[in-house]
Amino acid sequence: MKYIFTTISYGDKYYQLTFELAKDLAKIGKQLLIYTDKPDYFESVDNVITRLYAPLPENKGRISGYDKDRIATKVFEIADAMWYIDSDWSMKSNAA
């Protein structure tokens, strides 16, 4: 079964956090699918796939559970399963 890590990156604070997460995942050979309104921000990271994303007008400035559900159906076009990971997660290089 092919799975992919997936996140939403929307807003200045989250672009940098997501960029760092993508670099962490690259260290262990994993791809990250990022739904974002700024795909060009991530083009220098090789393990990233981007898709355009904009929150619904009533959710502007925040991400709702509905937004996560809305993107999930599109993920299955490229993978059998997704692992949603918040963009503010990070990985330790010496994790045991």
Side-chain angles (χ1 to χ4, degrees), residues 3-23:
Y3 71 92
I4 192 163
F5 289 99
T6 306
T7 196
I8 297 172
S9 187
Y10 175 73
D12 292 335
K13 173 183 173 183
Y14 293 99
Y15 302 134
Q16 183 61 38
L17 289 169
T18 306
F19 191 87
E20 294 302 319
L21 174 61
K23 291 191 318 187

Side-chain angles (χ1 to χ4, degrees), residues 3 38 46 53 88 93:
Y3 71 92
K38 278 193 153 179
D46 293 336
Y53 162 81
D88 59 355
S93 59

